[in-house]
Amino acid sequence: MNNEKRKEKSRDAARCRRSRETEIFTDLASMLPLQKEQITQLDKASVMRLAISYLRVRDMVNLVPHSEKPKRKPKVQDEPVFLKSLEGFLLVLSPEGDFIYLSENVCDYVGITQVDLMGQNIYEYSHPCDHGEIKELLANKSHQSSDVTKSLFIRLKCTLTNKGRSVNLKSATYKVIHCTGHMVYCDENVKEKPSLQQCFIAVGQPIPHPSNIEAPLGRNIFLSKHSLDMKFTYADDIMKDFLGYNADDLIGQSLYNYHHAMDSDSICSAFKCLFSKGQCETGRYRFLAKTGGYVWVLTQATLIYDKVQKPLSVVCVNYVIRDIIINCPYIRAVGVVVDIHLGFDGLFQS
């Protein structure tokens, strides 16, 4: 009888612990800034992962440089407008490579939801050959580099096919994402150091595949096609309007012969990335005009493969920059970080 009573008490205690545990996780899940439909689909491990991630978001917001208080308090409903202006998605990485935060529209670009990615490690979702570059970026602890824009091409897992269908994560392919941003550090004069003392805030922008670009193109955009040694095999007639060249002037000529010598390093670095990762985007560089002088151009290049995944050619989408516009995705990203989270309660309250 005594043994039976002890077993019964043990079972009651276990049920009590499980019941209490469920209550705690339910309360914790209800504090997450997520929709009820999303919360109901979370298991206990996911609740813990997201809770830790959102607590780190609070620390991350404290790292963002202070700016003037907005006249109107941003609302969570404003988020889609902010994200649309980025032409990509927002991501924040810890020094260990954890996704501290991603904007909700990340799903539109890689097919994986914000909830599934937050708290996960980027090394589990990026191409192994890119891990060295990511580690080098995140290992930099020099505060002097905070003003330097960091640019990195990362291949992330993507569950979206070319036809827009979704596949499971095991069947995912890799998609090139251009990450542009800054390292943000904790103020050295702060007495109480936060648990998160630095992070990388960036905008991730996919490079569109030429086959997905809708026609007609803008008046300042022209296409070109190249062999694997970057010699022209095709050039748009629109080049004549900006650069003075007919297609026949360029066919068989190397692209490397038409940029300014001071842009050689950046051009070579970009095309090295192209042949290793499949896509790249150059910075602004000077393209030699036929009548003399240079025109500022930005190029998005894509490697074209045959059916057995052997590289065949390179297609470039070239944007003529007629007006130099200051374009800093980091500044826009920081604004989005602050504006989005001003509307959240619960975990974001200090």
Side-chain angles (χ1 to χ4, degrees):
M1 291 293 294
N2 291 335
N3 288 337
E4 290 297 327
K5 287 182 179 181
R6 282 197 296 269
K7 290 180 180 179
E8 184 64 27
K9 287 183 179 180
S10 178
R11 285 193 292 268
D12 290 341
R15 280 194 293 267
C16 184
R17 284 195 300 269
R18 288 195 297 270
S19 177
R20 180 57 182 155
E21 183 183 89
T22 301
E23 290 177 5
I24 293 173
F25 274 99
T26 301
D27 292 341
L28 184 59
S30 65
M31 296 177 64
L32 296 174
L34 301 173
Q35 298 177 0
K36 291 182 178 180
E37 296 78 8
Q38 294 174 306
I39 293 175
T40 56
Q41 298 176 3
L42 299 177
D43 55 21
K44 293 179 181 179
S46 296
V47 171
M48 285 295 297
R49 169 173 57 83
L50 291 169
I52 293 171
S53 185
Y54 276 113
L55 285 171
R56 299 185 79 182
V57 168
R58 185 176 62 181
D59 290 338
M60 178 269 296
V61 171
N62 292 331
L63 294 181
V64 175
H66 294 288
S67 58
E68 294 183 4
K69 189 175 181 179
K71 297 180 180 179
R72 180 181 67 87
K73 184 177 180 180
K75 300 179 181 178
V76 178
Q77 289 84 349
D78 294 335
E79 182 177 354
V81 178
F82 297 143
L83 298 179
K84 187 176 181 180
S85 68
L86 292 177
E87 298 180 353
F89 61 91
L90 178 68
L91 73 153
V92 183
L93 295 175
S94 72
E96 299 76 28
D98 295 328
F99 287 114
I100 297 176
Y101 180 78
L102 296 109
S103 54
E104 191 173 355
N105 66 335
V106 65
C107 185
D108 299 335
Y109 297 98
V110 299
I112 308 172
T113 65
Q114 174 198 46
V115 172
D116 289 336
L117 284 174
M118 282 186 60
Q120 304 284 8
N121 196 281
I122 190 173
Y123 299 117
E124 298 177 7
Y125 290 85
S126 58
H127 196 285
C129 294
D130 297 339
H131 290 181
E133 294 179 66
I134 300 172
K135 289 179 181 178
E136 183 180 355
L137 171 70
L138 298 178
N140 193 334
K141 296 184 179 180
S142 173
H143 287 230
Q144 296 178 350
S145 65
S146 59
D147 295 331
V148 179
T149 301
K150 307 291 185 181
S151 178
L152 187 68
F153 292 90
I154 303 174
R155 286 166 285 185
L156 292 179
K157 287 183 179 179
C158 178
T159 59
L160 296 175
T161 66
N162 293 332
K163 297 181 179 180
R165 297 178 181 176
S166 296
V167 297
N168 58 45
L169 193 58
K170 292 182 179 180
S171 303
T173 56
Y174 287 102
K175 188 173 188 177
V176 179
I177 303 294
H178 186 193
C179 298
T180 310
H182 283 242
M183 293 297 298
V184 181
Y185 301 91
C186 174
D187 190 344
E188 294 179 340
N189 299 322
V190 176
K191 294 182 179 180
E192 296 184 4
K193 298 291 184 181
S195 58
L196 182 68
Q197 297 190 25
Q198 72 177 69
C199 62
F200 177 57
I201 300 179
V203 175
Q205 297 175 307
I207 300 173
H209 195 279
S211 62
N212 296 331
I213 296 178
E214 297 181 358
L217 300 176
R219 295 191 61 184
N220 64 322
I221 303 173
F222 64 90
L223 295 176
S224 61
K225 189 175 180 180
H226 308 262
S227 57
L228 296 180
D229 56 0
M230 295 308 296
K231 290 183 178 180
F232 283 90
T233 58
Y234 168 82
D236 250 345
D237 291 335
I238 199 172
M239 290 187 70
K240 187 173 183 179
D241 298 337
F242 296 102
L243 301 169
Y245 296 109
N246 292 312
D248 294 338
D249 297 329
L250 295 173
I251 301 300
Q253 301 296 319
S254 174
L255 176 66
Y256 296 112
N257 297 333
Y258 292 90
H259 65 262
H260 196 284
M262 294 182 67
D263 299 325
S264 294
D265 290 344
S266 61
I267 291 294
C268 291
S269 176
F271 287 122
K272 181 179 179 181
C273 173
L274 166 69
F275 290 108
S276 64
K277 301 183 181 182
Q279 285 186 302
C280 78
E281 180 179 276
T282 68
R284 298 179 179 90
Y285 67 95
R286 287 155 285 191
F287 199 108
L288 178 65
K290 185 175 182 178
T291 55
Y294 293 87
V295 175
W296 287 94
V297 174
L298 182 145
T299 297
Q300 292 177 340
T302 300
L303 200 58
I304 305 300
Y305 300 89
D306 61 12
K307 294 181 179 180
V308 294
Q309 294 302 300
K310 182 180 179 180
L312 285 178
S313 59
V314 176
V315 173
C316 293
V317 183
N318 307 282
Y319 299 84
V320 176
I321 304 169
R322 286 179 284 186
D323 298 311
I324 300 299
I325 301 173
I326 297 177
N327 178 21
C328 183
Y330 162 69
I331 295 176
R332 291 182 289 161
V334 168
V336 173
V337 169
V338 176
D339 291 339
I340 288 175
H341 296 297
L342 282 175
F344 283 149
D345 294 319
L347 290 174
F348 297 104
Q349 293 178 350
S350 57

